[in-house]
Amino acid sequence: MRLVDLRSDTITKPTPAMRRAMAEAEVGDDVFGEDPTVNRLEEMAAERLGKEAAMFVASGTMGNLVSLLAQCNRGDEVILGDMCHTFLYEQGGIAALGGIHPRPIPNQPDGTLELQQIEMAIRPDNVHFPRTRLIALENTHNRCYGAPLTVEYMHAVGELARRHGLKVHVDGARIFNAAIALNVDVRDLVADADSVTFCLSKGLAAPVGSIVCGTREFIAEARRARKVVGGGMRQAGVLAAAGIVALTEMVDRLAEDHANARRLAEGLANIKGISIDPGQVKTNIVYFEVTHETMTPQELVERLNAEGVRMLAIGPRRIRAVTNYHVSAEDIEYALSVFSKVLG
Ligand code: TLP
């Protein structure tokens, strides 16, 4: 049976070139700073994002956590979106492990935070309040239809932050999807960020790992934070080698994932029992509502799964599909035919 796995881009497996690079990787003890492959990946990543320095971490969650640990003191407040990954899906780690107070404000459907609402959330100097330290943005925005946040918006938040003496962190788990979708240099997207996390193991198909970027001073602090959360890896070059292939060979092809996501959305718009606005799909993430009279998203997902099409039911009405390296245009046609069969 054909298998079309659209649950996430995290399901991607390493490419043959990655496996070769991993097998042949030169390694050393990275806690001593002696793994040449990790060092090369970090240099490449920093250069690619236009930052002074970078650090390899185990996951996107770890990247966000150590970035905030490095930039905030206990009791400091971070302004973030109520739909962002750090607030919803990271176990409240910034609070649990860092004593950092989250101040969620509403994410707009396009993934942005309204500038005025950010400004209103900044605390005045008063003995009753925590100190606002940082604004966190997510680009692309996972829960907001994979929306890419524009260069202009990122600059506007950067300008606002500087005016108030605040730092900016960008959860750029899928920042290259944003750059490709907007047809801009990724450097311009993160120029205003004091720290950025991006993932090698989502659309870029590396088996493990994310990168944190920023100034040399920030990375030195983030390295301390990574060590205390147990993220000091030793011969990590075997993993970093795949990351190097991810950065050099896998970025430009993300455009295919975006085209497939659009194809899927347009096809779904013609299927009874589904509600979707295909215009909302700008990258590789597709959300749609199940409006069928009797079938719940959970039941629909189970029926699709029985035919080899995998997606995730999110909440009482929605399903998420994420296109990725292992999903072709023909797979999308197949998935749509299964939808017609199951709902028709
Ligand atoms: N997202 C995963 C799930 O955790 C929901 C997915 O399937 O989309 N930031 C963003 C925007 C993310 O989407 C994710 C993972 C992370 C951070 C965390 O990355 P990992 O899974 O590497 O810790």
Side-chain angles (χ1 to χ4, degrees):
M1 187 174 64
R2 196 167 189 143
L3 179 66
V4 185
D5 196 342
L6 292 155
R7 286 172 301 167
S8 183
D9 47 10
T10 60
I11 61 97
T12 45
K13 294 177 184 168
T15 66
M18 286 178 188
R19 289 187 187 270
R20 275 195 302 278
M22 293 172 80
E24 290 162 12
E26 260 188 84
V27 296
D29 189 329
D30 181 51
V31 177
F32 288 113
E34 288 173 5
D35 188 303
T37 311
V38 171
N39 292 343
R40 192 148 62 87
L41 171 63
E42 292 179 346
E43 278 162 29
M44 275 177 65
E47 211 272 323
R48 190 80 187 248
L49 268 79
K51 298 294 178 195
E52 280 177 15
M55 176 177 71
F56 186 51
V57 292
S59 66
T61 301
M62 185 185 279
N64 289 333
L65 176 63
V66 302
S67 294
L68 268 59
L69 287 176
Q71 297 192 93
C72 301
N73 298 309
R74 297 186 69 81
D76 283 350
E77 191 165 73
V78 51
I79 297 172
L80 38 56
D82 63 347
M83 289 290 145
C84 80
H85 196 276
T86 298
F87 185 60
L88 289 181
Y89 297 123
E90 294 174 16
Q91 255 193 49
I94 57 167
L97 306 179
I100 301 163
H101 194 240
R103 178 81 183 275
I105 62 176
N107 272 116
Q108 302 305 306
D110 65 357
T112 61
L113 305 173
E114 275 185 4
L115 298 180
Q116 205 190 355
Q117 289 193 11
I118 297 178
E119 207 141 21
M120 276 163 52
I122 298 170
R123 307 276 194 164
D125 184 10
N126 180 305
V127 75
H128 296 86
F129 299 146
R131 291 192 172 110
T132 309
R133 182 76 58 189
L134 184 133
I135 303 167
L137 299 173
E138 186 175 308
N139 196 1
T140 64
H141 204 290
N142 182 343
R143 278 294 298 264
C144 298
Y145 311 95
L149 278 55
T150 64
V151 171
E152 294 70 31
Y153 177 76
M154 302 299 280
H155 282 334
V157 174
E159 195 275 319
L160 187 161
R162 280 190 296 279
R163 203 155 19 91
H164 290 276
L166 305 178
K167 303 277 188 191
V168 175
H169 172 71
V170 175
D171 176 355
R174 298 182 180 84
I175 196 74
F176 288 106
N177 294 84
I180 296 270
L182 298 166
N183 196 20
V184 297
D185 188 329
V186 70
R187 288 190 189 92
D188 294 331
L189 273 181
V190 300
D192 289 83
D194 298 282
S195 57
V196 187
T197 303
F198 74 85
C199 293
L200 298 162
S201 73
K202 295 197 167 62
L204 304 185
V208 177
S210 292
I211 299 279
V212 169
C213 297
T215 61
R216 264 184 215 96
E217 198 186 351
F218 159 75
I219 289 294
E221 274 310 300
R223 247 178 232 292
R224 284 187 59 83
R226 183 185 70 173
K227 192 73 178 74
V228 79
V229 296
M233 296 187 282
R234 301 293 178 174
Q235 287 71 33
V238 287
L239 301 174
I244 291 172
V245 176
L247 269 186
T248 45
E249 294 181 10
M250 302 300 283
V251 172
D252 290 340
R253 66 150 305 284
L254 293 173
E256 292 171 35
D257 295 346
H258 300 175
N260 283 334
R262 184 53 91 93
R263 222 170 257 137
L264 176 67
E266 282 165 1
L268 287 172
N270 294 325
I271 292 173
K272 213 164 159 260
I274 300 289
S275 166
I276 182 170
D277 170 9
Q280 229 152 12
V281 177
K282 305 239 163 46
T283 63
N284 68 329
I285 300 183
V286 179
Y287 284 95
F288 54 92
E289 310 252 308
V290 180
T291 51
H292 192 271
E293 283 148 28
T294 53
M295 210 179 307
T296 65
Q298 195 53 48
E299 282 161 358
L300 179 53
V301 161
E302 279 162 26
R303 297 281 298 276
L304 295 169
N305 192 30
E307 305 278 340
V309 176
R310 296 192 181 159
M311 297 185 178
L312 287 182
I314 310 237
R317 278 165 63 88
R318 283 170 119 196
I319 292 179
R320 186 186 78 160
V322 185
T323 54
N324 61 71
Y325 176 56
H326 302 300
V327 176
S328 65
E330 296 77 51
D331 289 329
I332 297 297
E333 292 311 316
Y334 174 72
L336 288 169
S337 71
V338 171
F339 266 93
S340 298
K341 181 171 150 193
V342 168
L343 289 171

